[in-house]
Amino acid sequence: MPSRLSSAFWLSARFAGAMVAVPALLALWVTLAAADARGTGTSSVLAEADAVIEQRPVMKIENEVAEGSSRFAAATADLTVLLPSPTGGRAVPAKFEASTNRRQEVGSDLYVAYVPTHPELGAIGDDQREDVERQLAGRAVQFGDSWTIGGFWALATLAPLGYWWKNESPRRPKRTVGPDWKALRVTVTGAGKHTDVPPPGSPEAADEKKRRENTRTLRCLVLEGGGRQVPFHSQMDGEAAGTALTGAQGWLLWHPHQRRGRDVLAELVGDDGWQLPGAVPVQVAEQTEEAGVMAPAQPDPERRVQTLDLGAGWLVTASAPVVVGLAVALGCLTALLLVPDSGAWRLWTAAAGVLTPLVGFIAQVVARMDHGDGDAAS
C-alpha cells in the first residue's frame, strides 16, 4: 500500500463547477430569451438605423396592467405616440409595449426612440432615458436588476454548493499513511445500495420520526474483505464503477479520526495502481474495526498510485440522448448569444434549450430502469 495518498482536488472542482454552471446557464437562457419581450425585434432595427431619443407625449393607453392602484405604481401597457413625418405631413402613430416605473396618463411625456427619416420602423419608449438606451444596446435587463438576479442566483446556487462542499465533496489534501491507519484487504463485488440507519440511543434515533429523517440510502461499491461486506460510496456513478471495478482487488484504508459528518473518509487503492477517494459509514467502520479483521497499515514509500477519475470519459460513456440533448442546448445558447434581439423565436429556442437535455436525461433513466428490470427477470 502507498505511503502517500493523492488529493481529490480536481474531482471536487469539476463537481463544484457543474453545480455553479448549470443554474448560471439556466439563468442566462431565461435572460437572453427575454431580451426583446415584445417579440418584434424593433429595438435592434432602430439601433441599426441610428435612432434618436426624444420626449413625446402619450396619445393612447391600452391593455394596462399595474402593480397597484396608486398612480405611482409600476405598470405595463401598450402605449401610442405620434412621430413627426419626414415630409412635413400628418404625424405617424407608433404603438409599443412599455414597462414603466409608474402608471402613465394620456399627455404625459415618455422618452421615445425612433428614426426621424423612417417613422414607419416604429418606436420604443420608457419613462427613464437609460432604459431606452439599454434596449437600443440590446441589453436584456436593467443594470440595477442584476443585483436582484444575482441574489436569487446566489441563493439557488451558493447555498447548496456550500453544503455539498462541507458535507459531501470528495475534497481532501494529500495525506501520509501511518501505522495508526486501518487497512483491509478487499475485493470489489459490484455496485449496490446501503441503508444507513442511526444507531439506537443516538439523538438522531430518539423517536420514529427522527429515525426516518436521519436514515439515508447510499449508492455504493460493495467491497468484500475479512468475511464482511463494506459499503464504499463516493462522488461517482455507482453502476459505472461497479461494471468497471468488479473483481478488482486492493486495500481499503482509513484513519479512524478523519471523519466528515456520518462518514469516515476512506481510500480504495487497487493493486494495479489506482486510488479512488470515498467514504464508509461510521457505524460500518466501527463494526469492522471491532470485528478484528483489519490490520495496521504497512505503507511502502516506493508505491505510487494515481487518482481514478471515472468521469473523465463521460462523453464516451454517457447515453446518446443525453449527449444529443446537451448538444442541442449548446446550439440554442449559441443562437441566443449571436442574435441578441430578433423576435418571438427566442422564447421557443430557450424552451428547446432547457427541455431537450431534460428529455435526454429522462430517456437515460428510463433505459436504465428497463435494463435493471431485464437483469432482475433474467
Side-chain angles (χ1 to χ4, degrees):
M1 60 192 70
S3 61
R4 189 73 168 166
L5 294 173
S6 302
S7 66
F9 173 78
W10 289 114
L11 289 176
S12 298
R14 188 173 65 234
F15 277 97
M19 293 182 69
V20 171
V22 170
L25 287 176
L26 291 176
L28 181 60
W29 262 311
V30 174
T31 303
L32 291 173
D36 187 0
R38 296 173 303 284
T40 61
T42 303
S43 58
S44 63
V45 173
L46 295 177
E48 293 175 357
D50 298 326
V52 299
I53 300 177
E54 296 178 353
Q55 284 190 312
R56 312 295 299 182
V58 177
M59 305 304 298
K60 187 177 182 181
I61 301 176
E62 299 175 292
N63 304 321
E64 183 182 61
V65 177
E67 295 182 1
S69 57
S70 170
R71 62 184 297 267
F72 298 103
T76 299
D78 294 328
L79 306 175
T80 301
V81 298
L82 295 179
L83 304 179
S85 172
T87 61
R90 295 181 58 183
V92 179
K95 182 178 179 180
F96 54 86
E97 180 185 284
S99 298
T100 55
N101 292 338
R102 65 177 184 175
R103 301 175 66 178
Q104 300 299 309
E105 299 177 349
V106 173
S108 59
D109 289 333
L110 285 182
Y111 289 98
V112 177
Y114 71 101
V115 181
T117 56
H118 296 283
E120 69 276 6
L121 295 178
I124 58 173
D126 204 283
D127 57 351
Q128 302 293 322
R129 184 184 180 92
E130 56 267 26
D131 286 339
V132 179
E133 295 173 345
R134 170 182 57 81
Q135 293 183 56
L136 289 177
R139 297 195 301 272
V141 296
Q142 303 178 45
F143 179 78
D145 291 342
S146 62
W147 294 103
T148 303
I149 296 173
F152 282 112
W153 176 86
L155 288 176
T157 304
L158 299 184
L161 177 62
Y163 175 84
W164 171 83
W165 186 264
K166 179 181 179 181
N167 298 288
E168 299 182 15
S169 71
R171 62 181 172 83
R172 60 201 62 181
K174 292 183 178 180
R175 296 175 294 165
T176 300
V177 179
D180 52 346
W181 283 59
K182 302 297 182 181
L184 178 65
R185 186 69 180 170
V186 294
T187 300
V188 181
T189 60
K193 294 182 179 180
H194 172 75
T195 302
D196 187 31
V197 181
S202 65
E204 293 81 5
D207 53 49
E208 183 62 23
K209 181 179 179 181
K210 287 187 176 181
R211 191 182 68 84
R212 287 198 306 269
E213 291 176 349
N214 290 281
T215 297
R216 55 178 183 161
T217 300
L218 305 171
R219 299 183 65 88
C220 57
L221 285 178
V222 179
L223 311 179
E224 186 171 332
R228 304 178 63 88
Q229 287 190 338
V230 180
F232 176 84
H233 66 96
S234 179
Q235 294 288 335
M236 59 186 176
D237 186 334
E239 294 182 6
T243 301
L245 301 179
T246 296
Q249 294 183 331
W251 292 94
L252 180 62
L253 305 172
W254 71 69
H255 191 289
H257 297 156
Q258 292 183 358
R259 300 185 178 186
R260 184 182 300 163
R262 295 168 59 181
D263 294 317
V264 174
L265 298 181
E267 305 289 337
L268 179 59
V269 179
D271 289 345
D272 47 358
W274 50 263
Q275 169 197 339
L276 189 64
V280 174
V282 170
Q283 289 188 79
V284 175
E286 292 177 345
Q287 292 169 2
T288 305
E289 292 179 19
E290 292 172 357
V293 296
M294 304 192 74
Q298 297 179 355
D300 180 1
E302 301 299 323
R303 176 83 158 114
R304 296 289 183 268
V305 294
Q306 185 175 358
T307 302
L308 178 61
D309 189 350
L310 292 172
W314 180 83
L315 285 177
V316 178
T317 59
S319 66
V322 173
V323 175
V324 172
L326 292 178
V328 171
L330 181 60
C332 293
L333 179 60
T334 303
L336 292 173
L337 286 171
L338 294 180
V339 189
D341 190 6
S342 61
W345 67 272
R346 307 184 65 85
L347 296 176
W348 296 103
T349 303
V354 172
L355 295 177
T356 307
L358 293 179
V359 172
F361 280 111
I362 292 174
Q364 181 179 18
V365 171
V366 171
R368 287 185 175 181
M369 292 177 62
D370 292 342
H371 179 71
D373 292 343
D375 291 344
S378 61

